[in-house]
Amino acid sequence: MKKALGKTAYILLITVLICAFLYSGWQLVDYFTKSIKTEKAYDGLSDIMHQARPTEEVEAPDFDWSLLDRMPVEALVEMPESPYVTVVDEETGKATVMLPEFQELFAINPDIVGWISIDDTEIDYPVMQRCEEKDYYLHRDFYGKKEARGCIYVDEKCDVFAPSDNVL
């Protein structure tokens, strides 16, 4: 009787461990599949960003960049030789001042506030910010879809248009 009970417990334990192993394997495959899909999506965004940037080295406009510290960005658009453009979000009607290379990405998602790229690394991603919702991009991708790995974002309390040395 004890042998039969021990054998049943052994078979049950082995069955539970096999199920846990299979579930863990499925979770790993799911994680890496989503990771590859996300990587391809960010490669597409990177292509959009790099196509919008000038391919040849262009002489910088005669523009006093120190004005950023002394004037609101909105006023800079009106200045001659200003590199900025104004884009209006069709949904909200809100006007945003940005560099021209961000226009196409802004049309996809108006929460984009920058781009981080480090030469000789694979770091080449959009930087997002949603001021109305805390940690919105912590578990969302560039498109706002649920994504465990999230997206690089700036804290909702930071003002990316006010010059500062500190950005969270």
Side-chain angles (χ1 to χ4, degrees), residues 13-48:
L13 178 64
I14 293 296
T15 304
V16 168
L17 291 175
I18 289 172
C19 288
F21 178 77
L22 291 174
Y23 179 75
S24 298
W26 177 74
Q27 288 292 323
L28 283 172
V29 168
D30 184 55
Y31 177 83
F32 287 112
T33 303
K34 286 180 180 176
S35 182
I36 290 168
K37 182 180 174 185
T38 301
E39 184 76 26
K40 287 180 181 177
Y42 281 117
D43 285 345
L45 293 172
S46 179
D47 290 344
I48 292 170

Tab-separated table of all heavy atoms in Angstrom, residues 13-48:
chain	number	residue	atom	x	y	z
A	13	LEU	N	4.255	14.270	-8.940
A	13	LEU	CA	5.329	15.252	-8.863
A	13	LEU	C	6.013	15.412	-10.222
A	13	LEU	O	6.248	16.537	-10.672
A	13	LEU	CB	6.359	14.851	-7.803
A	13	LEU	CG	7.560	15.782	-7.670
A	13	LEU	CD1	7.121	17.157	-7.197
A	13	LEU	CD2	8.592	15.188	-6.720
A	14	ILE	N	6.304	14.313	-10.882
A	14	ILE	CA	6.937	14.361	-12.200
A	14	ILE	C	6.019	15.078	-13.195
A	14	ILE	O	6.472	15.911	-13.994
A	14	ILE	CB	7.298	12.943	-12.708
A	14	ILE	CG1	8.399	12.338	-11.844
A	14	ILE	CG2	7.708	12.959	-14.165
A	14	ILE	CD1	9.716	13.079	-11.895
A	15	THR	N	4.728	14.802	-13.144
A	15	THR	CA	3.756	15.451	-14.042
A	15	THR	C	3.724	16.954	-13.807
A	15	THR	O	3.733	17.741	-14.758
A	15	THR	CB	2.355	14.848	-13.839
A	15	THR	OG1	2.421	13.439	-14.038
A	15	THR	CG2	1.345	15.453	-14.786
A	16	VAL	N	3.710	17.386	-12.541
A	16	VAL	CA	3.708	18.807	-12.214
A	16	VAL	C	4.993	19.469	-12.702
A	16	VAL	O	4.965	20.562	-13.295
A	16	VAL	CB	3.514	19.027	-10.697
A	16	VAL	CG1	3.794	20.464	-10.297
A	16	VAL	CG2	2.111	18.625	-10.275
A	17	LEU	N	6.133	18.826	-12.507
A	17	LEU	CA	7.410	19.389	-12.942
A	17	LEU	C	7.495	19.476	-14.470
A	17	LEU	O	8.003	20.462	-15.005
A	17	LEU	CB	8.574	18.566	-12.391
A	17	LEU	CG	8.781	18.665	-10.875
A	17	LEU	CD1	9.885	17.720	-10.423
A	17	LEU	CD2	9.095	20.084	-10.460
A	18	ILE	N	6.990	18.481	-15.163
A	18	ILE	CA	6.979	18.522	-16.634
A	18	ILE	C	6.088	19.669	-17.112
A	18	ILE	O	6.454	20.409	-18.023
A	18	ILE	CB	6.536	17.170	-17.231
A	18	ILE	CG1	7.634	16.134	-17.024
A	18	ILE	CG2	6.188	17.296	-18.708
A	18	ILE	CD1	7.246	14.719	-17.399
A	19	CYS	N	4.924	19.827	-16.482
A	19	CYS	CA	4.027	20.938	-16.852
A	19	CYS	C	4.704	22.286	-16.597
A	19	CYS	O	4.619	23.199	-17.426
A	19	CYS	CB	2.724	20.847	-16.083
A	19	CYS	SG	1.656	19.505	-16.630
A	20	ALA	N	5.387	22.436	-15.465
A	20	ALA	CA	6.090	23.686	-15.153
A	20	ALA	C	7.204	23.943	-16.173
A	20	ALA	O	7.399	25.067	-16.620
A	20	ALA	CB	6.662	23.633	-13.738
A	21	PHE	N	7.920	22.878	-16.554
A	21	PHE	CA	8.989	23.005	-17.545
A	21	PHE	C	8.420	23.447	-18.895
A	21	PHE	O	8.952	24.349	-19.542
A	21	PHE	CB	9.736	21.665	-17.674
A	21	PHE	CG	10.821	21.693	-18.707
A	21	PHE	CD1	12.029	22.307	-18.444
A	21	PHE	CD2	10.628	21.108	-19.947
A	21	PHE	CE1	13.033	22.336	-19.394
A	21	PHE	CE2	11.607	21.133	-20.910
A	21	PHE	CZ	12.823	21.755	-20.634
A	22	LEU	N	7.331	22.822	-19.326
A	22	LEU	CA	6.716	23.178	-20.612
A	22	LEU	C	6.173	24.607	-20.588
A	22	LEU	O	6.324	25.351	-21.559
A	22	LEU	CB	5.606	22.186	-20.965
A	22	LEU	CG	6.074	20.760	-21.303
A	22	LEU	CD1	4.877	19.839	-21.485
A	22	LEU	CD2	6.957	20.773	-22.539
A	23	TYR	N	5.555	25.011	-19.497
A	23	TYR	CA	5.038	26.372	-19.375
A	23	TYR	C	6.185	27.384	-19.425
A	23	TYR	O	6.090	28.416	-20.101
A	23	TYR	CB	4.239	26.527	-18.072
A	23	TYR	CG	3.708	27.922	-17.874
A	23	TYR	CD1	2.611	28.372	-18.602
A	23	TYR	CD2	4.317	28.799	-16.974
A	23	TYR	CE1	2.131	29.665	-18.438
A	23	TYR	CE2	3.838	30.083	-16.806
A	23	TYR	CZ	2.754	30.514	-17.541
A	23	TYR	OH	2.281	31.785	-17.382
A	24	SER	N	7.276	27.101	-18.718
A	24	SER	CA	8.435	28.001	-18.736
A	24	SER	C	9.022	28.110	-20.137
A	24	SER	O	9.389	29.198	-20.584
A	24	SER	CB	9.517	27.499	-17.771
A	24	SER	OG	9.037	27.492	-16.460
A	25	GLY	N	9.114	26.994	-20.834
A	25	GLY	CA	9.612	27.005	-22.207
A	25	GLY	C	8.719	27.830	-23.106
A	25	GLY	O	9.210	28.618	-23.929
A	26	TRP	N	7.407	27.687	-22.950
A	26	TRP	CA	6.455	28.475	-23.739
A	26	TRP	C	6.622	29.967	-23.452
A	26	TRP	O	6.598	30.793	-24.357
A	26	TRP	CB	5.026	28.019	-23.450
A	26	TRP	CG	4.002	28.831	-24.160
A	26	TRP	CD1	3.684	28.796	-25.481
A	26	TRP	CD2	3.180	29.842	-23.589
A	26	TRP	NE1	2.705	29.729	-25.768
A	26	TRP	CE2	2.374	30.374	-24.614
A	26	TRP	CE3	3.036	30.338	-22.299
A	26	TRP	CZ2	1.454	31.386	-24.387
A	26	TRP	CZ3	2.125	31.355	-22.081
A	26	TRP	CH2	1.339	31.857	-23.132
A	27	GLN	N	6.809	30.322	-22.172
A	27	GLN	CA	7.001	31.725	-21.798
A	27	GLN	C	8.275	32.288	-22.424
A	27	GLN	O	8.286	33.428	-22.891
A	27	GLN	CB	7.060	31.876	-20.271
A	27	GLN	CG	5.734	31.693	-19.582
A	27	GLN	CD	4.778	32.824	-19.907
A	27	GLN	OE1	5.165	33.978	-20.028
A	27	GLN	NE2	3.512	32.494	-20.057
A	28	LEU	N	9.362	31.508	-22.451
A	28	LEU	CA	10.606	31.961	-23.074
A	28	LEU	C	10.434	32.174	-24.577
A	28	LEU	O	10.888	33.181	-25.120
A	28	LEU	CB	11.722	30.946	-22.825
A	28	LEU	CG	12.336	30.967	-21.433
A	28	LEU	CD1	13.281	29.788	-21.246
A	28	LEU	CD2	13.086	32.273	-21.200
A	29	VAL	N	9.781	31.234	-25.250
A	29	VAL	CA	9.540	31.378	-26.688
A	29	VAL	C	8.685	32.617	-26.948
A	29	VAL	O	8.979	33.408	-27.849
A	29	VAL	CB	8.873	30.111	-27.266
A	29	VAL	CG1	8.353	30.346	-28.669
A	29	VAL	CG2	9.844	28.946	-27.246
A	30	ASP	N	7.654	32.823	-26.143
A	30	ASP	CA	6.787	33.998	-26.287
A	30	ASP	C	7.578	35.287	-26.082
A	30	ASP	O	7.444	36.246	-26.849
A	30	ASP	CB	5.632	33.909	-25.279
A	30	ASP	CG	4.638	35.046	-25.449
A	30	ASP	OD1	4.129	35.214	-26.576
A	30	ASP	OD2	4.378	35.751	-24.452
A	31	TYR	N	8.426	35.323	-25.063
A	31	TYR	CA	9.233	36.509	-24.773
A	31	TYR	C	10.150	36.838	-25.949
A	31	TYR	O	10.219	37.985	-26.391
A	31	TYR	CB	10.059	36.286	-23.501
A	31	TYR	CG	10.977	37.441	-23.183
A	31	TYR	CD1	10.515	38.560	-22.513
A	31	TYR	CD2	12.317	37.419	-23.575
A	31	TYR	CE1	11.347	39.634	-22.225
A	31	TYR	CE2	13.154	38.477	-23.294
A	31	TYR	CZ	12.673	39.576	-22.622
A	31	TYR	OH	13.501	40.632	-22.354
A	32	PHE	N	10.865	35.853	-26.451
A	32	PHE	CA	11.812	36.112	-27.537
A	32	PHE	C	11.107	36.421	-28.850
A	32	PHE	O	11.591	37.224	-29.654
A	32	PHE	CB	12.807	34.959	-27.678
A	32	PHE	CG	13.823	34.940	-26.573
A	32	PHE	CD1	13.828	33.921	-25.636
A	32	PHE	CD2	14.741	35.966	-26.448
A	32	PHE	CE1	14.762	33.918	-24.615
A	32	PHE	CE2	15.679	35.967	-25.421
A	32	PHE	CZ	15.689	34.937	-24.499
A	33	THR	N	9.946	35.844	-29.081
A	33	THR	CA	9.170	36.167	-30.277
A	33	THR	C	8.717	37.623	-30.235
A	33	THR	O	8.840	38.356	-31.219
A	33	THR	CB	7.950	35.235	-30.393
A	33	THR	OG1	8.405	33.890	-30.414
A	33	THR	CG2	7.147	35.523	-31.635
A	34	LYS	N	8.204	38.054	-29.096
A	34	LYS	CA	7.790	39.452	-28.944
A	34	LYS	C	8.988	40.390	-29.030
A	34	LYS	O	8.881	41.493	-29.576
A	34	LYS	CB	7.062	39.654	-27.618
A	34	LYS	CG	5.666	39.073	-27.609
A	34	LYS	CD	4.983	39.295	-26.286
A	34	LYS	CE	3.583	38.705	-26.295
A	34	LYS	NZ	2.938	38.840	-24.991
A	35	SER	N	10.123	39.960	-28.506
A	35	SER	CA	11.327	40.776	-28.564
A	35	SER	C	11.768	41.007	-30.005
A	35	SER	O	12.125	42.129	-30.381
A	35	SER	CB	12.447	40.086	-27.772
A	35	SER	OG	13.607	40.865	-27.778
A	36	ILE	N	11.713	39.975	-30.831
A	36	ILE	CA	12.077	40.104	-32.245
A	36	ILE	C	11.092	41.024	-32.959
A	36	ILE	O	11.486	41.888	-33.753
A	36	ILE	CB	12.145	38.716	-32.913
A	36	ILE	CG1	13.348	37.939	-32.381
A	36	ILE	CG2	12.208	38.840	-34.432
A	36	ILE	CD1	13.356	36.470	-32.754
A	37	LYS	N	9.804	40.878	-32.661
A	37	LYS	CA	8.776	41.726	-33.271
A	37	LYS	C	8.991	43.197	-32.887
A	37	LYS	O	8.908	44.095	-33.727
A	37	LYS	CB	7.398	41.247	-32.818
A	37	LYS	CG	6.252	41.992	-33.412
A	37	LYS	CD	4.936	41.439	-32.892
A	37	LYS	CE	3.777	42.282	-33.361
A	37	LYS	NZ	2.511	41.857	-32.784
A	38	THR	N	9.285	43.446	-31.616
A	38	THR	CA	9.528	44.806	-31.142
A	38	THR	C	10.773	45.393	-31.794
A	38	THR	O	10.780	46.561	-32.203
A	38	THR	CB	9.678	44.814	-29.607
A	38	THR	OG1	8.494	44.288	-29.020
A	38	THR	CG2	9.929	46.208	-29.071
A	39	GLU	N	11.820	44.579	-31.912
A	39	GLU	CA	13.063	45.035	-32.547
A	39	GLU	C	12.808	45.468	-33.988
A	39	GLU	O	13.300	46.499	-34.438
A	39	GLU	CB	14.106	43.912	-32.508
A	39	GLU	CG	15.447	44.307	-33.047
A	39	GLU	CD	16.234	45.174	-32.091
A	39	GLU	OE1	16.015	45.103	-30.874
A	39	GLU	OE2	17.073	45.949	-32.588
A	40	LYS	N	12.001	44.690	-34.716
A	40	LYS	CA	11.675	45.046	-36.105
A	40	LYS	C	10.876	46.352	-36.167
A	40	LYS	O	11.097	47.176	-37.048
A	40	LYS	CB	10.895	43.918	-36.779
A	40	LYS	CG	11.750	42.716	-37.112
A	40	LYS	CD	10.949	41.630	-37.786
A	40	LYS	CE	11.821	40.425	-38.078
A	40	LYS	NZ	11.072	39.327	-38.676
A	41	ALA	N	9.959	46.535	-35.215
A	41	ALA	CA	9.167	47.775	-35.185
A	41	ALA	C	10.077	48.981	-34.944
A	41	ALA	O	9.943	50.014	-35.606
A	41	ALA	CB	8.092	47.693	-34.108
A	42	TYR	N	11.016	48.864	-34.004
A	42	TYR	CA	11.925	49.973	-33.728
A	42	TYR	C	12.900	50.199	-34.883
A	42	TYR	O	13.307	51.340	-35.132
A	42	TYR	CB	12.672	49.767	-32.412
A	42	TYR	CG	11.811	50.119	-31.222
A	42	TYR	CD1	11.461	49.176	-30.278
A	42	TYR	CD2	11.324	51.408	-31.064
A	42	TYR	CE1	10.658	49.503	-29.204
A	42	TYR	CE2	10.516	51.747	-29.994
A	42	TYR	CZ	10.194	50.786	-29.068
A	42	TYR	OH	9.393	51.122	-28.018
A	43	ASP	N	13.274	49.136	-35.588
A	43	ASP	CA	14.112	49.313	-36.782
A	43	ASP	C	13.373	50.141	-37.822
A	43	ASP	O	13.964	50.996	-38.484
A	43	ASP	CB	14.512	47.952	-37.372
A	43	ASP	CG	15.588	47.247	-36.549
A	43	ASP	OD1	16.224	47.912	-35.701
A	43	ASP	OD2	15.784	46.032	-36.768
A	44	GLY	N	12.064	49.894	-37.971
A	44	GLY	CA	11.258	50.677	-38.909
A	44	GLY	C	11.190	52.137	-38.511
A	44	GLY	O	11.301	53.036	-39.357
A	45	LEU	N	11.039	52.407	-37.221
A	45	LEU	CA	11.010	53.791	-36.735
A	45	LEU	C	12.369	54.457	-36.944
A	45	LEU	O	12.451	55.622	-37.327
A	45	LEU	CB	10.634	53.833	-35.254
A	45	LEU	CG	9.215	53.401	-34.904
A	45	LEU	CD1	9.047	53.295	-33.396
A	45	LEU	CD2	8.203	54.349	-35.500
A	46	SER	N	13.420	53.693	-36.705
A	46	SER	CA	14.767	54.219	-36.918
A	46	SER	C	14.991	54.570	-38.385
A	46	SER	O	15.590	55.600	-38.697
A	46	SER	CB	15.801	53.185	-36.453
A	46	SER	OG	17.101	53.650	-36.668
A	47	ASP	N	14.486	53.731	-39.277
A	47	ASP	CA	14.598	54.019	-40.715
A	47	ASP	C	13.890	55.324	-41.063
A	47	ASP	O	14.413	56.147	-41.814
A	47	ASP	CB	14.017	52.872	-41.550
A	47	ASP	CG	14.862	51.614	-41.492
A	47	ASP	OD1	16.039	51.701	-41.060
A	47	ASP	OD2	14.347	50.542	-41.866
A	48	ILE	N	12.691	55.511	-40.504
A	48	ILE	CA	11.941	56.753	-40.748
A	48	ILE	C	12.751	57.950	-40.265
A	48	ILE	O	12.890	58.953	-40.963
A	48	ILE	CB	10.561	56.713	-40.050
A	48	ILE	CG1	9.653	55.683	-40.715
A	48	ILE	CG2	9.911	58.092	-40.055
A	48	ILE	CD1	8.365	55.418	-39.952
